[in-house]
Amino acid sequence: MCSAFTCSPATKWSPKNKTARESTQGSTNEECCEPLYCEAYTCSGDSDGDGESTKYYKLKDTNHFKYQGSTDEECCVPKPCSAYETKFPTKFKRKADNDALGSTDAECYEPLMCKDHCCEDKTKVRRPDAAAIQGSTDAECCIAKAKGPAKAKRRQQ
């Protein structure tokens, strides 16, 4: 009876309902189990629940073939961070993890903060709020030096 049969692998086959398992004779997945298809699986990285993952492309069924499975490995194709480029290269540096998956700045990059930038233009100084601002250029991180009281006094004379 199918009740004594174990569906394998469990990621591609699930046992038929209890009544069917107790009343059906069989010794194969096809006789005793229900197939699990990728169309019902959502790849990891779908944080907003729209069915689109930032870390994987979902395998698409065709008219002739339906993908069977219920894991990322069986139903999804990885999106490596190495294939993703930020639109803000002065605000981010690529994470060191070469095997990381993703297609967003947060998954693939570390922020560059103005507090770590030294102004190249000597007529400028780092912004006072540099710890809270992302950037790595003078335009993003620096402001003109304030004129001191001694300079202003000399001009008045």
Side-chain angles (χ1 to χ4, degrees):
M1 300 301 289
C2 282
S3 58
F5 181 77
T6 302
C7 301
S8 180
T11 59
K12 292 186 177 185
W13 300 94
S14 73
K16 288 187 176 181
N17 67 49
K18 185 177 179 178
T19 304
R21 289 178 61 78
E22 291 174 356
S23 63
T24 305
Q25 288 185 339
S27 60
T28 67
N29 283 330
E30 289 77 7
E31 295 168 330
C32 300
C33 310
E34 295 290 339
L36 296 172
Y37 289 107
C38 290
E39 71 182 350
Y41 180 75
T42 301
C43 299
S44 298
D46 180 18
S47 57
D48 59 5
D50 68 354
E52 294 295 321
S53 168
T54 59
K55 295 183 178 188
Y56 294 95
Y57 297 103
K58 187 171 179 177
L59 292 174
K60 302 287 185 199
D61 293 335
T62 67
N63 291 337
H64 303 290
F65 186 79
K66 288 184 75 169
Y67 290 97
Q68 195 174 346
S70 61
T71 65
D72 286 340
E73 291 76 22
E74 295 165 333
C75 299
C76 311
V77 176
K79 290 180 180 177
C81 279
S82 60
Y84 173 76
E85 292 294 328
T86 182
K87 292 180 179 157
F88 306 101
T90 63
K91 295 180 186 263
F92 293 97
K93 67 178 177 180
R94 191 174 293 281
K95 288 183 179 178
D97 183 1
N98 292 332
D99 296 326
L101 298 179
S103 59
T104 66
D105 289 340
E107 291 168 330
C108 301
Y109 288 86
E110 297 286 343
L112 290 170
M113 302 306 291
C114 283
K115 69 179 178 60
D116 300 317
H117 176 74
C118 293
C119 300
E120 293 174 21
D121 182 342
K122 298 307 173 199
T123 65
K124 295 184 177 187
V125 295
R126 190 179 307 134
R127 296 171 58 129
D129 55 351
I133 296 176
Q134 274 186 253
S136 64
T137 66
D138 282 6
E140 295 164 327
C141 302
C142 304
I143 57 173
K145 285 183 181 178
K147 295 184 178 172
K151 287 182 183 176
K153 197 174 195 180
R154 274 189 247 140
R155 284 191 190 136
Q156 290 174 352
Q157 293 175 352

